[in-house]
PDB file of all heavy atoms in Angstrom:
ATOM      1  N   ASP A 221      -6.286 -22.797   5.231  1.00  0.00           N
ATOM      2  CA  ASP A 221      -6.281 -24.220   5.276  1.00  0.00           C
ATOM      3  C   ASP A 221      -6.755 -24.876   3.984  1.00  0.00           C
ATOM      4  O   ASP A 221      -6.468 -26.063   3.710  1.00  0.00           O
ATOM      5  CB  ASP A 221      -7.167 -24.711   6.433  1.00  0.00           C
ATOM      6  CG  ASP A 221      -8.605 -24.181   6.305  1.00  0.00           C
ATOM      7  OD1 ASP A 221      -8.777 -23.045   5.808  1.00  0.00           O
ATOM      8  OD2 ASP A 221      -9.548 -24.819   6.704  1.00  0.00           O
ATOM      9  N   VAL A 222      -7.518 -24.127   3.186  1.00  0.00           N
ATOM     10  CA  VAL A 222      -8.106 -24.704   2.040  1.00  0.00           C
ATOM     11  C   VAL A 222      -7.106 -25.204   0.964  1.00  0.00           C
ATOM     12  O   VAL A 222      -7.231 -26.263   0.369  1.00  0.00           O
ATOM     13  CB  VAL A 222      -9.115 -23.709   1.335  1.00  0.00           C
ATOM     14  CG1 VAL A 222      -9.572 -24.186  -0.023  1.00  0.00           C
ATOM     15  CG2 VAL A 222     -10.340 -23.504   2.263  1.00  0.00           C
ATOM     16  N   ARG A 223      -6.036 -24.463   0.810  1.00  0.00           N
ATOM     17  CA  ARG A 223      -5.023 -24.852  -0.138  1.00  0.00           C
ATOM     18  C   ARG A 223      -4.438 -26.204   0.242  1.00  0.00           C
ATOM     19  O   ARG A 223      -4.260 -27.126  -0.614  1.00  0.00           O
ATOM     20  CB  ARG A 223      -3.903 -23.811  -0.115  1.00  0.00           C
ATOM     21  CG  ARG A 223      -2.731 -24.056  -0.973  1.00  0.00           C
ATOM     22  CD  ARG A 223      -1.854 -22.768  -1.023  1.00  0.00           C
ATOM     23  NE  ARG A 223      -0.597 -23.053  -1.631  1.00  0.00           N
ATOM     24  CZ  ARG A 223       0.503 -23.352  -0.921  1.00  0.00           C
ATOM     25  NH1 ARG A 223       0.469 -23.437   0.361  1.00  0.00           N
ATOM     26  NH2 ARG A 223       1.634 -23.556  -1.579  1.00  0.00           N
ATOM     27  N   THR A 224      -4.167 -26.376   1.536  1.00  0.00           N
ATOM     28  CA  THR A 224      -3.651 -27.658   2.041  1.00  0.00           C
ATOM     29  C   THR A 224      -4.667 -28.775   1.868  1.00  0.00           C
ATOM     30  O   THR A 224      -4.304 -29.887   1.448  1.00  0.00           O
ATOM     31  CB  THR A 224      -3.259 -27.492   3.577  1.00  0.00           C
ATOM     32  OG1 THR A 224      -2.670 -26.213   3.740  1.00  0.00           O
ATOM     33  CG2 THR A 224      -2.310 -28.598   3.971  1.00  0.00           C
ATOM     34  N   LEU A 225      -5.948 -28.472   2.242  1.00  0.00           N
ATOM     35  CA  LEU A 225      -6.995 -29.450   2.123  1.00  0.00           C
ATOM     36  C   LEU A 225      -7.120 -29.951   0.683  1.00  0.00           C
ATOM     37  O   LEU A 225      -7.194 -31.157   0.418  1.00  0.00           O
ATOM     38  CB  LEU A 225      -8.317 -28.872   2.603  1.00  0.00           C
ATOM     39  CG  LEU A 225      -8.490 -28.669   4.088  1.00  0.00           C
ATOM     40  CD1 LEU A 225      -9.757 -27.794   4.369  1.00  0.00           C
ATOM     41  CD2 LEU A 225      -8.716 -30.046   4.780  1.00  0.00           C
ATOM     42  N   LEU A 226      -7.178 -28.957  -0.245  1.00  0.00           N
ATOM     43  CA  LEU A 226      -7.367 -29.375  -1.654  1.00  0.00           C
ATOM     44  C   LEU A 226      -6.153 -30.162  -2.185  1.00  0.00           C
ATOM     45  O   LEU A 226      -6.300 -31.094  -2.984  1.00  0.00           O
ATOM     46  CB  LEU A 226      -7.569 -28.135  -2.501  1.00  0.00           C
ATOM     47  CG  LEU A 226      -8.929 -27.368  -2.277  1.00  0.00           C
ATOM     48  CD1 LEU A 226      -8.998 -26.105  -3.146  1.00  0.00           C
ATOM     49  CD2 LEU A 226     -10.096 -28.298  -2.660  1.00  0.00           C
ATOM     50  N   HIS A 227      -5.023 -29.745  -1.724  1.00  0.00           N
ATOM     51  CA  HIS A 227      -3.785 -30.434  -2.144  1.00  0.00           C
ATOM     52  C   HIS A 227      -3.803 -31.896  -1.685  1.00  0.00           C
ATOM     53  O   HIS A 227      -3.511 -32.781  -2.468  1.00  0.00           O
ATOM     54  CB  HIS A 227      -2.539 -29.725  -1.573  1.00  0.00           C
ATOM     55  CG  HIS A 227      -1.295 -30.061  -2.220  1.00  0.00           C
ATOM     56  ND1 HIS A 227      -0.436 -31.016  -1.674  1.00  0.00           N
ATOM     57  CD2 HIS A 227      -0.727 -29.706  -3.416  1.00  0.00           C
ATOM     58  CE1 HIS A 227       0.656 -31.195  -2.524  1.00  0.00           C
ATOM     59  NE2 HIS A 227       0.458 -30.356  -3.528  1.00  0.00           N
ATOM     60  N   ALA A 228      -4.205 -32.102  -0.407  1.00  0.00           N
ATOM     61  CA  ALA A 228      -4.322 -33.461   0.110  1.00  0.00           C
ATOM     62  C   ALA A 228      -5.368 -34.301  -0.649  1.00  0.00           C
ATOM     63  O   ALA A 228      -5.202 -35.518  -0.823  1.00  0.00           O
ATOM     64  CB  ALA A 228      -4.683 -33.384   1.620  1.00  0.00           C
ATOM     65  N   LEU A 229      -6.417 -33.634  -1.063  1.00  0.00           N
ATOM     66  CA  LEU A 229      -7.500 -34.342  -1.810  1.00  0.00           C
ATOM     67  C   LEU A 229      -7.145 -34.478  -3.325  1.00  0.00           C
ATOM     68  O   LEU A 229      -7.916 -35.023  -4.051  1.00  0.00           O
ATOM     69  CB  LEU A 229      -8.843 -33.581  -1.685  1.00  0.00           C
ATOM     70  CG  LEU A 229      -9.430 -33.529  -0.282  1.00  0.00           C
ATOM     71  CD1 LEU A 229     -10.565 -32.510  -0.227  1.00  0.00           C
ATOM     72  CD2 LEU A 229      -9.924 -34.883   0.118  1.00  0.00           C
ATOM     73  N   GLU A 230      -6.008 -33.919  -3.685  1.00  0.00           N
ATOM     74  CA  GLU A 230      -5.556 -33.952  -5.102  1.00  0.00           C
ATOM     75  C   GLU A 230      -6.585 -33.253  -6.028  1.00  0.00           C
ATOM     76  O   GLU A 230      -6.934 -33.757  -7.097  1.00  0.00           O
ATOM     77  CB  GLU A 230      -5.238 -35.357  -5.540  1.00  0.00           C
ATOM     78  CG  GLU A 230      -4.062 -35.950  -4.764  1.00  0.00           C
ATOM     79  CD  GLU A 230      -3.715 -37.347  -5.217  1.00  0.00           C
ATOM     80  OE1 GLU A 230      -4.429 -37.946  -6.075  1.00  0.00           O
ATOM     81  OE2 GLU A 230      -2.706 -37.874  -4.719  1.00  0.00           O
TER      82      GLU A 230
END
Side-chain angles (χ1 to χ4, degrees):
Chain A
D221 56 328
V222 168
R223 178 170 169 265
T224 320
L225 286 167
L226 290 175
H227 196 262
L229 295 168
E230 296 182 354

